Amino acid sequence: MNNASSRDFNQKPKVDIITPPSTPPDLVQWTQVAELKQGTREKNLSQYQSWRLDEIPREDVLDVSEIVLSKLTQRERGIVHMDATAITAGIRERKYTAVEVLIAFCKVTVAAQDTTNCITEIFFEEGLARARELDEHLQKTGEVVGPLHGLPVSIKDHILVKGQDTSTGYITWANGTRAEKDAVVVDILRKAGAVLYVKTANPQTLLCLETNNNIFGRTVNPFNRNLSPGGSSGGEGALIAAHGSPMGVGTDIGGSIRVPAAWSGLYGFKPSVARMPHAGLMGSHDGMDNIVGVVGPLATSARDLELFCRTMLQYEAWILEHAVLEIPWRAEVVEGKTLPKRLSFAILWDDGVVKPHPPLVREMQRVKQALLAAGHEVIDWQPLEHQEGWDLIVKLYLLDGGQEYRDTLKLSGEPAVPGTEWILNHAAGRPPYTVPETWKLNLEREGFRARALAHWNSTVSRTSTGRPVDGIICPTAANLAIPHDQTRWWGYSSHWNLLDLPGVVFPSGGRLNPAEFQPVERVEPRNALEKEMWDLWNPETFKGAPINLQLIGRRHNEEKVLAMLNVVEKAMKA
């Protein structure tokens, strides 16, 4: 194997495609690479045959969320249903060992892979060895090594984990990108006592809100396998939703943490750029900083998002990575000590491009009533140029006209999967932007952000609190988890990347019951895109899909966003 990751993080790996010498340079070549990679994964899984399901569900069995737990004892079921905060407390108090916790999650991981195709790299033995070390340390010293002592954490494939391959959804990088160092986020996780054991699927190119690539194939949603778990952190979404991981690490440049969280019924957090460590990722367009992605957590509770962020900054990430801002974590803000007693929220009911599907509108109405009943203020958010924002950010994504993506695909001869082709078609026939043209686009971006700031500040004239709204509540997408290859509108997620505002996704309305949405509502479409998205709306199609919402705050106000989420959840439970 070609070791590439000892180079600078921004340097692409030199890759040798591992295929038999007799393989002709055509499509057979890339399929051989995929077969080899899948074969390696299966060989690793086969070591744990006793953990595999007695029978793989037929394709017409759509909801596998309970089936994946069938090999667990009652004690193990209790473990995998705990959130990360409870798990770390249980290990610290010696109610559980790190080894038994990891084994429980590994059992589900095996079943989740066999039913949803969510993982890429498997290193259970390495994880078990670390878990044993942690148990011995606690037994001998009575102290934990850090706030995540013994916690299993899953990692998105394109994040470097020392010793593991980092194919990132590209055939040409598969089998030849074994990392020689950890990403900064992984380094901190290890120091904090986390146990790493698996990497999870991401799509070809990463620039997709579903998860599909030619190496491993498509990842599906454990609640309805006809639907996507989202992307690009879709492997994380499917694995955590299936209870194969209590906490995972994803990345987000257009919705890639928040959409999988929303479509998989989880909590997900996208911070502003430079608040959390980001160095040590494999992907295209290294060095392009016209629009920048972020690292963040997916988890099963709001408090686990805070646990992740607090841990990252407890270890002074700004010392490890020059781009991270030296802003220590403000726990007192998360606890609500600095929040006004009465908050003002705005709800984005419709972005003016694609009206959200009925379950999301109903859920926003329910949240509004809960917040009003709790004494808070709720006004309507007036959408600001969402179509124009998308037109701008997609130019920033594809400054080179998509050339690097296509060149990387050509190295192996693999075809673009549908999601890749869809996004690259936004730059079809357009040459790369010149350097002066990229400067102009940067000016447009900054102008857009300035207008958005003024727009937010102007809400002071419509609130009764004497200040602008504190946060915005909106969907993460116009639809729930979508049928495969049907994602067409990113505007409810990518808009906030363009503005670099922090956003948290949270479960709100359970899972969709089709009987609650009869007769089927229709709208008069305002544009072809809205027609296409509403043609998909049929309650039966989305049966079992989780219903989540999104809360947006001001730039670099991550703690306040999580504090406001606590307020929203308290109101919803009242």
Side-chain angles (χ1 to χ4, degrees), residues 7-18:
R7 299 178 177 85
D8 183 86
F9 284 133
N10 291 328
Q11 186 173 346
K12 290 295 189 301
K14 178 182 178 183
V15 176
D16 298 316
I17 298 177
I18 304 174

Side-chain angles (χ1 to χ4, degrees), residues 459-481:
T459 60
V460 69
S461 66
R462 297 192 291 123
T463 67
S464 61
T465 61
R467 62 182 188 274
V469 294
D470 295 290
I472 304 165
I473 295 169
C474 62
T476 316
N479 44 270
L480 306 182

